[in-house]
């Protein structure tokens, strides 16, 4: 199959199959290769996922993703059944006509020419390699919802499956990006969520990278790097964007003056507020209250 070059933001997942999968200690006597991508959440039990150059211990709450064509096998621990919730999927909609589940092949019988998904990402995304994440319990409800949609197949079930899976993949990408940071403390997104919540609660105050770094015990430059990995924005960009969004809300729902709103959202200089607002939205703050004015976020 010819590779499809896309950005992660352009994915439109096609969910071919959703299953509750039981893995015994002898389920995979040899390595297999799948023709589409695989994502599995461990709902119960423990075991090990083996790949050619690495292996991962699996326990409840873990999540693992790998691309089409990757050699793999899985086993459960002795006396345990590994219960997985998962999906076979493509990152694109190129092969909608193949709607039935395509079973993996033994490594010796695998035909690369029959691959169903050959997405090549042009941006910085962890997909394309094996992704292994621990403590992803918040996604269990999403996988159960996918299973329900797939089994019942009501109107627009395929569209809902695609939407749910894309949400899952976005969260996986976000968590995987933090996992690559050199500081092991960032293996969980909890710390970054704490920092974001602090910014949202204190955005009216004068917040600098140095202030935030000192509060959360990070070097300011490193914290800025983590923020970009987690949100796609620097600390300053995130703070400014949040302040502008709050200003838009106040301009749209109150009669407060532009000057008061600027102060309310953390801008001490009205002129600076106006310049930033125009740079972000392409219009002046007062124009928000004019329904005839068109604007476009920049």
């Amino acid at each position: 199959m010819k590779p499809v070059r896309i950005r992660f933001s352009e994915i439109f997942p096609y969910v071919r199959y959703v299953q509750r999968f039981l893995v015994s200690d002898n389920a995979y006597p040899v390595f297999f290769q799948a023709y589409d991508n695989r994502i599995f959440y461990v709902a119960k039990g423990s075991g090990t996922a083996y790949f050619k150059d690495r292996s991962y211990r699996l326990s409840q709450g873990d999540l693992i993703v790998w691309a089409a064509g990757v050699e793999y096998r899985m086993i459960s621990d002795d006396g345990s059944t590994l219960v997985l919730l998962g999906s076979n999927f493509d990152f694109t909609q190129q092969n909608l006509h193949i709607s039935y589940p395509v079973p993996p092949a033994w490594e010796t019988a695998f035909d690369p020419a029959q691959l169903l998904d050959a997405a090549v990402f042009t941006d910085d995304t962890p997909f394309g390699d094996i992704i292994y994440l621990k403590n992803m319990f918040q996604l269990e409800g999403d996988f159960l919802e996918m299973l329900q949609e797939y089994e019942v197949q009501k109107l627009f079930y395929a569209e809902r499956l695609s939407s749910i899976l894309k949400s899952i993949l976005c969260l996986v990408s976000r968590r995987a990006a933090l996992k690559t940071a050199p500081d092991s403390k960032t293996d969980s997104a909890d710390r970054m969520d704490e920092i974001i919540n602090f910014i949202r609660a204190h955005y009216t105050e004068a917040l600098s990278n140095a202030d935030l770094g000192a509060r959360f015990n990070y070097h300011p430059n490193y914290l800025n790097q983590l923020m970009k990995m987690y949100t796609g924005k620097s600390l300053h960009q995130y703070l400014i964007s949040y302040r502008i969004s709050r200003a838009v809300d106040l301009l749209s729902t109150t009669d407060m003056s532009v000057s008061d709103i600027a102060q309310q959202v953390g801008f001490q200089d009205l002129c600076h507020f106006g310049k930033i607002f125009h740079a972000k939205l392409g219009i002046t703050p007062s124009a928000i209250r004019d329904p005839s004015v068109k604007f476009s976020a920049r």
Side-chain angles (χ1 to χ4, degrees):
M1 182 179 179
K2 185 178 179 180
V4 179
R5 297 178 63 82
I6 60 172
R7 294 175 58 83
F8 179 72
S9 59
E10 298 169 339
I11 66 169
F12 187 6
Y14 174 57
V15 177
R16 183 166 289 110
Y17 184 47
V18 184
Q19 60 181 317
R20 179 182 279 108
F21 190 49
L22 306 182
V23 178
S24 63
D25 58 0
N26 60 355
Y28 290 84
V30 297
F31 278 96
F32 284 78
Q33 291 175 265
Y35 290 100
D36 44 14
N37 306 293
R38 295 290 195 265
I39 181 169
F40 285 109
Y41 169 83
V42 182
K44 187 178 180 181
S46 59
T48 305
Y50 293 96
F51 300 90
K52 281 295 185 177
D53 60 347
R54 69 195 90 167
S55 63
Y56 298 101
R57 289 288 301 152
L58 300 177
S59 58
Q60 188 175 9
D62 292 352
L63 181 140
I64 192 162
V65 189
W66 63 89
V70 170
E71 302 97 333
Y72 70 95
R73 59 187 294 258
M74 290 186 289
I75 63 171
S76 65
D77 290 341
D78 290 342
S80 172
T81 298
L82 195 58
V83 182
L84 305 174
L85 301 173
S87 172
N88 309 356
F89 71 96
D90 299 340
F91 282 106
T92 72
Q93 302 268 318
Q94 279 198 316
N95 283 306
L96 291 175
H97 60 287
I98 304 177
S99 59
Y100 51 86
V102 179
W106 287 6
E107 181 184 12
T108 54
F110 181 75
D111 181 3
Q114 301 301 314
L115 279 174
L116 298 177
D117 190 57
V120 176
F121 291 100
T122 60
D123 53 354
D124 186 17
T125 177
F127 296 104
D129 194 8
I130 300 162
I131 301 174
Y132 168 71
L133 299 171
K134 298 189 69 63
N135 300 320
M136 298 297 286
F137 294 99
Q138 73 270 30
L139 294 181
E140 183 167 339
D142 293 320
F143 279 100
L144 289 171
E145 188 173 2
M146 285 181 64
L147 183 63
Q148 173 73 6
E149 283 287 343
Y150 184 82
E151 290 180 342
V152 178
Q153 298 196 2
K154 296 179 181 179
L155 190 63
F156 303 125
Y157 81 94
E159 288 77 10
R160 288 219 64 226
L161 285 173
S162 180
S163 177
I164 297 168
L165 180 58
K166 184 166 185 177
S167 176
I168 290 173
L169 294 175
C170 287
L171 293 174
V172 168
S173 182
R174 180 186 295 170
R175 181 67 67 89
L178 275 184
K179 190 178 179 182
T180 63
D183 187 343
S184 62
K185 289 186 295 186
T186 61
D187 186 54
S188 169
D190 293 344
R191 190 65 166 165
M192 291 309 300
D193 287 339
E194 183 182 352
I195 293 168
I196 287 173
N197 288 336
F198 180 84
I199 291 173
R200 291 168 67 91
H202 298 270
Y203 70 96
T204 61
E205 303 170 13
L207 296 178
S208 68
N209 290 13
D211 294 333
L212 291 167
R215 180 176 183 84
F216 292 98
N217 198 28
Y218 286 112
H219 188 282
N221 292 342
Y222 182 66
L223 179 56
N224 194 54
Q225 177 187 351
L226 293 180
M227 191 70 171
K228 290 181 73 172
M229 294 170 69
Y230 195 55
T231 69
K233 299 176 181 178
S234 67
L235 281 166
H236 179 69
Q237 289 170 337
Y238 187 89
L239 176 60
I240 291 297
S241 294
Y242 189 69
R243 284 173 169 169
I244 294 299
S245 70
R246 297 302 303 140
V248 170
D249 184 51
L250 291 172
L251 286 163
S252 302
T253 60
T254 74
D255 294 325
M256 293 173 61
S257 69
V258 173
S259 177
D260 287 344
I261 288 174
Q263 294 269 339
Q264 180 84 10
V265 300
F267 288 91
Q268 301 305 312
D269 185 298
L270 180 59
C271 182
H272 180 59
F273 169 66
K275 287 181 179 178
I276 295 294
F277 195 96
H278 189 275
K280 289 286 186 182
L281 300 181
I283 59 173
T284 64
S286 58
I288 283 285
R289 289 169 167 161
D290 184 349
S292 66
V293 174
K294 296 181 180 181
F295 73 96
S296 58
R298 298 180 181 181

